[in-house]
């Protein structure tokens, strides 16, 4: 008789965390938050760009604030995407030495990598907050929109912090599971698809 574990879909709207208890709830809420933020940012950028192109074609002149809005959205999507990439194991990694190790050693190394990366993300989040304080004290503004520049960098410390939390959850997942995980829902390995979700079968005698 075979027992099949629920597949962790790449679609964050239907994401079901494999972590136990409160950690699973936190993981699922972060996934939904990331999905909403990324979808909103991409849609707004597409709408803004299309509207600017139409304005240039119809009126001969685009919106004077369009470039600054896209600048804001690019920063927003970049830092919002950090956590998403970590969740789906899509960050670039150098794995020549890692792949040569046996499974147990890979698990230990993955836990170490996840914890160290999480600490680095929290460190960057702290310094990103300090950078925002510096910009706030200088009082610089965007010429077209007239808003203070520090507002557009608010997502930087949040994005780093969310990514740090994601890597901590990855370490917990590796500590509580017999398999090696690149993230809370992506099993280590190579295959035809870009991501490798948990989809294994155990046979009971």
């Amino acid at each position: 008789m075979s027992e099949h574990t629920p597949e962790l879909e790449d679609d964050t709207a239907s994401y079901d965390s494999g972590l136990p208890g409160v950690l699973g709830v936190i993981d699922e809420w972060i996934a939904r938050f990331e999905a909403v933020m990324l979808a909103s940012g991409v849609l707004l950028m597409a709408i803004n760009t299309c509207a600017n192109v139409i304005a240039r074609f119809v009126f001969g002149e685009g919106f004077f604030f369009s470039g600054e809005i896209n600048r804001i959205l690019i920063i927003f999507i970049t830092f919002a995407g950090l956590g998403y990439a970590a969740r789906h194991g899509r960050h670039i990694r150098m794995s020549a030495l890692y792949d040569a190790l046996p499974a147990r050693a890979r698990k230990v190394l993955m836990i170490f990598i996840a914890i160290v990366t999480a600490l680095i993300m929290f460190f960057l989040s702290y310094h990103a907050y300090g950078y925002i304080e510096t910009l706030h004290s200088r009082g610089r503004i965007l010429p077209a929109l007239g808003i203070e520049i520090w507002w557009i960098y608010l997502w930087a410390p949040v994005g780093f912090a969310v990514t740090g939390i994601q890597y901590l959850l990855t370490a917990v997942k590796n500590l509580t599971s017999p398999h090696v995980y690149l993230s809370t829902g992506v099993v280590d390995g190579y295959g035809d698809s870009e991501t490798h979700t948990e989809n294994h079968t155990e046979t009971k005698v």
Side-chain angles (χ1 to χ4, degrees), residues 87-204:
R87 174 178 305 283
H88 295 282
R90 293 179 177 176
H91 282 300
I92 296 173
R93 55 194 183 107
M94 307 299 290
S95 59
L97 176 62
Y98 172 86
D99 290 340
L101 298 174
R104 184 177 295 275
R106 289 203 308 271
K107 176 180 280 289
V108 172
L109 183 56
M110 182 56 66
I111 292 170
F112 174 77
I113 290 171
I115 292 174
V116 171
T117 306
L119 293 175
I120 292 172
M121 291 298 105
F122 292 136
F123 175 79
L124 291 175
S125 179
Y126 172 78
H127 281 280
Y129 177 77
Y131 177 67
I132 291 174
E133 284 190 322
T134 301
L135 289 177
H136 181 268
S137 65
R138 292 176 179 174
R140 294 174 57 192
I141 64 172
L142 294 171
L145 295 175
I147 63 174
E148 293 189 23
I149 289 180
W150 67 271
W151 280 101
I152 72 176
Y153 292 102
L154 280 178
W155 186 253
V158 176
F160 283 129
V162 169
T163 307
I165 292 171
Q166 186 59 45
Y167 275 108
L168 279 183
L169 294 177
T170 299
V172 172
K173 182 67 176 180
N174 280 287
L175 287 169
T176 58
S177 171
H179 301 279
V180 182
Y181 281 80
L182 300 178
S183 69
T184 56
V186 181
V187 180
D188 181 30
Y190 295 96
D192 295 331
S193 60
E194 185 177 358
T195 57
H196 314 278
T197 55
E198 178 183 6
N199 188 12
H200 54 273
T201 303
E202 297 178 358
T203 304
K204 293 184 178 180

Side-chain angles (χ1 to χ4, degrees), residues 21-141:
V22 177
L23 291 179
V25 175
I26 294 173
D27 192 26
E28 291 175 10
W29 274 104
I30 291 176
R32 294 188 180 97
F33 181 66
E34 288 170 349
V36 171
M37 294 298 101
L38 285 172
S40 300
V42 172
L43 285 173
L44 287 172
M45 182 177 290
I47 292 170
N48 178 56
T49 302
C50 290
N52 192 47
V53 170
I54 293 171
R56 285 183 182 275
F57 180 76
V58 175
F59 304 109
E61 184 178 356
F63 299 118
F64 67 94
F65 52 81
S66 181
E68 290 184 355
I69 290 179
N70 274 348
R71 174 185 173 187
I72 294 170
L73 291 173
I74 287 172
I75 295 171
F76 176 77
I77 292 170
T78 298
F79 288 101
L82 286 175
Y84 181 91
R87 174 178 305 283
H88 295 282
R90 293 179 177 176
H91 282 300
I92 296 173
R93 55 194 183 107
M94 307 299 290
S95 59
L97 176 62
Y98 172 86
D99 290 340
L101 298 174
R104 184 177 295 275
R106 289 203 308 271
K107 176 180 280 289
V108 172
L109 183 56
M110 182 56 66
I111 292 170
F112 174 77
I113 290 171
I115 292 174
V116 171
T117 306
L119 293 175
I120 292 172
M121 291 298 105
F122 292 136
F123 175 79
L124 291 175
S125 179
Y126 172 78
H127 281 280
Y129 177 77
Y131 177 67
I132 291 174
E133 284 190 322
T134 301
L135 289 177
H136 181 268
S137 65
R138 292 176 179 174
R140 294 174 57 192
I141 64 172

Side-chain angles (χ1 to χ4, degrees), residues 3-9 14 16-18 173 181 185 197-200:
E3 181 180 350
H4 182 69
T5 55
E7 185 177 356
L8 298 179
E9 299 290 344
S14 59
D16 184 20
S17 176
K173 182 67 176 180
Y181 281 80
T197 55
E198 178 183 6
N199 188 12
H200 54 273

